[in-house]
Amino acid sequence: MWGDRSATLPAWFTQTYPASYQATHLFDDALPSGIAMAPLPGSRLDLLVSTPERALAMSRTLLNG
């Protein structure tokens, strides 16, 4: 799992699911915060995840420098 801030996954979670948490900025701060974000189908509307288009938008930002 990835996030912007350092955090620890609860023990009950890591005992049930083999998971780790990494605090890393995956996207440049210059990329507008709402671009290419959407809820998972059938999920909460307020819990947004990156869409494949966000990676493409980030690639364009990096290429155009």
Side-chain angles (χ1 to χ4, degrees):
M1 302 178 91
W2 298 84
D4 288 335
R5 289 180 223 83
S6 184
T8 302
L9 295 172
W12 67 264
F13 185 85
T14 57
Q15 291 168 359
T16 305
Y17 306 101
S20 62
Y21 182 87
Q22 177 72 37
T24 303
H25 293 282
L26 296 176
F27 300 105
D28 189 334
D29 290 337
L31 191 63
S33 63
I35 191 167
M37 301 289 290
L40 291 172
S43 185
R44 293 177 22 193
L45 297 178
D46 63 333
L47 183 59
L48 303 178
V49 297
S50 298
T51 64
E53 294 80 9
R54 186 170 175 86
L56 293 175
M58 186 62 206
S59 298
R60 281 189 222 111
T61 300
L62 290 174
L63 291 174
N64 295 328

